[in-house]
Amino acid sequence: MSNSAPALPEMPHNALPREIAPGVFWLGECSPVHYAGKWLHTYNSAFMVVGEKFAAMVETGIPSVGNVVIAQVERILEERGVPLKYIFVTHSEMSHCGSVGRLLRRYPEAHTYGEISDLHLVYPGFEDRIHFCEPGETSDLGGREILTVESVFRDLIHSRWFLDTKERVLFPGDGFAYSHVHDDKECGLFAEEAPKVDIPTQMQRFATLAFHWTGYVDIEPYVQRLDDLFVELGVEVVAPTHGLPIRDAKNSMPIFREGFRGMSDIHATELDIEIYDI
Amino acid sequence: MNTFALVEGEHVLVYSTGYSAHREALLAHLRKIVGQRTVSVAIPRPEWASMCNARAIADEFHKNFDQQFVVHQRLINPPHLLLDFDADSVGASSVLAGCQLRMLSSTTRTLVDPNGERGLDFIVPELRLLPTNWAYDSATKTLFTGDAFCWVWKDEETGPWLVDAPETDPTTLERVAHSLSAGRYWWLEGAATQSIRVAIARLFENYEVRFIAPDHGAVIAGEAVSRHVGYLDEYLRLAARNPSIGIEAGQWKTSKMRASA
Ligand SMILES: [Zn+2]
Ligand SMILES: [Zn+2]
């Protein structure tokens, strides 16, 4: 018989939502994961960008945090007094699109944009409110726009990244993915506020579990393109879906560059092991 | 989109639950198979194609029996929260709140009947994108391959959806290559594929496979099995020589994908 599940650890009080740049809110909640005998926390975050006229979400979280995210969205929309018009998703996977259906039902004016390849099969009945979007397209929120950006690091081929043009916040989806240790109490912090998190090791661990492809490719062109894109877009803040946000993109980049390079060092043949020890 | 049901005595194990869009058809099929049997579900990969109908199956069949509904999955997230995401859901299924969560393992067999013998041996395949299990049913010598071997599509809905002799099989190396490189296996172009080739070859040596049962497309049976393993190996060999498309693909428009699909 398959293994019984270990009891979940007691999670700390949710540190989110947090305003990570003016009008940009980090939503969701940590999820515990068990790895090599240890409890870690992973984020499957959602974000909200509030303009003068409209609000946009970027990502919607994994379904298991749906009720948390929806309550956070409701509260911010009420406080800010603007309607939710856009729900951007970097790609159609469940840890990014877990609340799309419930949000579309709740906010009849909102539409979803992004890499949405199989989302119409997940949320039937919403086909006319779910759309692909292309790099270079912009969506106006009043006083700021969301720019659709190429995905440099991805799993699904047509994944999209997004940029808030006002505060230069980049939403890189699966890029910059790393967990933090349960006991280290780093929930809800910026990377720069969490000195205990070993970013390269955690990025490598994440790759071992979720970005298996990085073990077979030359990662260097991706690192180079990432550097160029940051300059082209003037990125100041990074808001990854699966990691703590990065407040000072320019100065923090070296450690993440090291992290990306380490992701190609996962040795495929060693992955025969039980990669989830739960 | 395929879902599979394994039956032993008074028990049914549903392997992968398909997309919401196919829910009514799936439940209609399952009703015929299940009758009064006990049902459990296995979600071999934490992706929509595997998980969309788990809650609907629990809602439909949990009253069949007194025992707990069992969900086998890879993620530790509580099933009543993870699997309740429909537009009209409350985000916390009351039926699944009482379910038993079992973690998929590649070292212990997932049994159809907890006291029986038939079951699935889960395998972590070297060819994968996300955390993914393949599974082997030794009773029928079927290898369930998730998002791999999904390249047999037909122009007619009537199929046939089991290919074996070459006359029933539209597959060419070009179709295999397109299906992999224009989809979730885009990264194989220019990749170091040798260890994947070795691992796949070893896997088919270790397991006698009469049927390859992928999540999408036709079941590959009998003499077609070695032909399709050959297509995969040949594609992997050729892909390693090609330039990577990893950077440029980030800038591709989806209209390119739709035109070439
Ligand atoms: Zn992700
Ligand atoms: Zn945490």
Side-chain angles (χ1 to χ4, degrees):
Chain A
M1 197 64 182
S2 51
N3 301 330
S4 47
L8 294 172
E10 195 177 327
M11 294 297 280
H13 175 74
N14 188 8
L16 305 184
R18 180 173 180 182
E19 191 169 5
I20 57 171
V24 181
F25 295 86
W26 177 17
L27 315 179
E29 184 178 45
C30 291
S31 299
V33 292
H34 198 241
Y35 182 77
K38 258 193 186 170
W39 285 104
L40 304 174
H41 293 185
T42 290
Y43 275 109
N44 299 282
S45 299
F47 299 91
M48 183 176 278
V49 183
V50 180
E52 289 156 15
K53 290 190 277 186
F54 305 111
M57 291 191 69
V58 183
E59 310 281 51
T60 68
I62 195 168
S64 49
V65 299
N67 286 348
V68 173
V69 168
I70 289 168
Q72 292 167 336
V73 168
E74 271 179 0
R75 211 179 81 198
I76 293 168
L77 291 177
E78 199 180 299
E79 280 170 14
R80 298 288 166 139
V82 289
L84 180 66
K85 182 169 183 184
Y86 304 102
I87 301 168
F88 294 99
V89 292
T90 59
H91 57 304
S92 59
E93 282 163 12
M94 67 99 190
S95 50
H96 301 255
C97 296
S99 291
V100 165
R102 297 177 68 198
L103 287 163
L104 289 176
R105 173 71 81 228
R106 198 167 281 249
Y107 299 102
E109 304 300 312
H111 285 239
T112 292
Y113 301 86
E115 190 288 336
I116 44 83
S117 49
D118 62 356
L119 225 44
H120 61 295
L121 300 173
V122 180
Y123 300 117
F126 292 99
E127 294 82 353
D128 55 346
R129 292 171 60 200
I130 297 177
H131 318 271
F132 278 107
C133 64
E134 312 290 3
E137 290 176 5
T138 54
S139 305
D140 186 26
L141 304 183
R144 70 203 312 162
E145 293 179 327
I146 299 293
L147 171 69
T148 302
V149 176
E150 69 179 272
S151 64
V152 177
F153 182 94
R154 73 188 82 85
D155 51 25
L156 298 187
I157 188 167
H158 292 290
S159 295
R160 300 296 185 224
W161 289 5
F162 301 97
L163 181 83
D164 163 42
T165 57
K166 187 168 182 218
E167 299 296 329
R168 315 311 292 182
V169 181
L170 180 72
F171 302 95
D174 280 342
F176 302 83
Y178 60 105
S179 303
H180 52 277
V181 176
H182 175 68
D183 293 328
D184 285 352
K185 300 186 171 51
E186 289 161 326
C187 315
L189 300 180
F190 279 101
E192 292 86 351
E193 297 168 337
K196 278 190 253 176
V197 63
D198 179 347
I199 289 167
T201 301
Q202 290 295 348
M203 284 179 75
Q204 194 173 46
R205 186 204 67 83
F206 215 103
T208 304
L209 296 182
F211 306 124
H212 181 60
W213 62 271
T214 57
Y216 302 91
V217 305
D218 176 8
I219 205 80
E220 214 46 45
Y222 297 87
V223 177
Q224 187 57 53
R225 181 67 197 125
L226 203 56
D227 279 344
D228 293 347
L229 188 73
F230 271 49
V231 174
E232 287 164 28
L233 297 176
V235 174
E236 291 186 4
V237 175
V238 183
T241 305
H242 307 300
L244 305 176
I246 302 155
R247 177 147 57 191
D248 182 352
K250 200 168 170 207
N251 286 311
S252 296
M253 199 54 189
I255 192 81
F256 287 97
R257 214 178 274 129
E258 190 188 325
F260 278 107
R261 291 194 169 117
M263 292 171 107
S264 63
D265 273 340
I266 54 172
H267 295 296
T269 47
E270 289 166 22
L271 293 176
D272 255 355
I273 57 167
E274 190 80 355
I275 57 169
Y276 285 106
D277 67 353
I278 46 178
Chain B
M1 185 69 232
N2 302 315
T3 288
F4 299 94
L6 276 72
V7 180
E8 186 181 35
E10 290 308 302
H11 297 263
V12 178
L13 173 64
V14 179
Y15 168 92
S16 204
T17 72
Y19 283 114
S20 317
H22 309 133
R23 182 167 299 162
E24 289 315 315
L26 172 69
L27 291 176
H29 289 164
L30 284 175
R31 273 181 215 116
K32 287 186 201 154
I33 295 167
V34 170
Q36 293 305 307
R37 293 182 170 100
T38 295
V39 179
S40 57
V41 299
I43 299 171
R45 46 194 183 110
E47 295 192 62
W48 294 128
S50 245
M51 60 197 272
C52 279
N53 293 313
R55 197 216 64 209
I57 292 169
D59 286 350
E60 176 81 20
F61 296 112
H62 78 283
K63 291 202 192 79
N64 272 13
F65 50 94
D66 313 325
Q67 302 163 31
Q68 269 183 309
F69 189 83
V70 180
V71 177
H72 306 270
Q73 63 182 35
R74 295 197 60 146
L75 296 185
I76 199 159
N77 307 52
H80 72 291
L81 303 178
L82 186 68
L83 301 172
D84 196 29
F85 47 78
D86 287 346
D88 298 315
S89 290
V90 294
S93 149
S94 56
V95 169
L96 285 172
C99 82
Q100 185 188 148
L101 169 62
R102 310 280 307 179
M103 307 312 296
L104 281 190
S105 161
S106 51
T107 51
T108 40
R109 179 169 288 184
T110 297
L111 295 168
V112 179
D113 170 354
N115 300 311
E117 286 181 6
R118 187 167 188 198
L120 291 174
D121 297 319
F122 283 95
I123 299 158
V124 179
E126 185 107 346
L127 180 66
R128 64 182 186 275
L129 179 70
L130 291 167
T132 293
N133 285 99
W134 292 4
Y136 184 69
D137 170 35
S138 53
T140 56
K141 303 200 172 1
T142 302
L143 184 66
F144 299 92
T145 55
D147 65 8
F149 293 91
C150 294
W151 49 63
V152 190
W153 65 91
K154 298 282 179 91
D155 295 332
E156 302 295 326
E157 206 177 310
T158 49
W161 291 106
L162 189 140
V163 297
D164 124 357
E167 308 83 79
T168 64
D169 187 356
T171 309
T172 59
L173 181 61
E174 290 67 36
R175 279 170 79 127
V176 172
H178 175 76
S179 149
L180 291 165
S181 65
R184 48 175 48 212
Y185 289 97
W186 56 271
W187 50 273
L188 289 170
E189 295 283 302
T193 57
Q194 181 61 20
S195 61
I196 303 178
R197 295 178 64 199
V198 170
I200 298 277
R202 195 177 296 153
L203 195 146
F204 280 90
E205 270 163 39
N206 291 345
Y207 293 92
E208 185 190 342
V209 177
R210 288 194 200 144
F211 300 93
I212 296 174
D215 279 4
H216 303 266
V219 170
I220 297 161
E223 62 178 272
V225 168
S226 62
R227 197 164 65 237
H228 282 255
V229 174
Y231 285 134
L232 175 58
D233 186 64
E234 181 63 1
Y235 171 69
L236 290 171
R237 187 179 72 79
L238 295 172
R241 298 181 185 173
N242 292 341
S244 167
I245 57 172
I247 300 300
E248 56 177 287
Q251 295 154 19
W252 285 351
K253 293 192 187 300
T254 46
S255 50
K256 178 179 160 69
M257 174 183 76
R258 293 196 287 266
S260 67

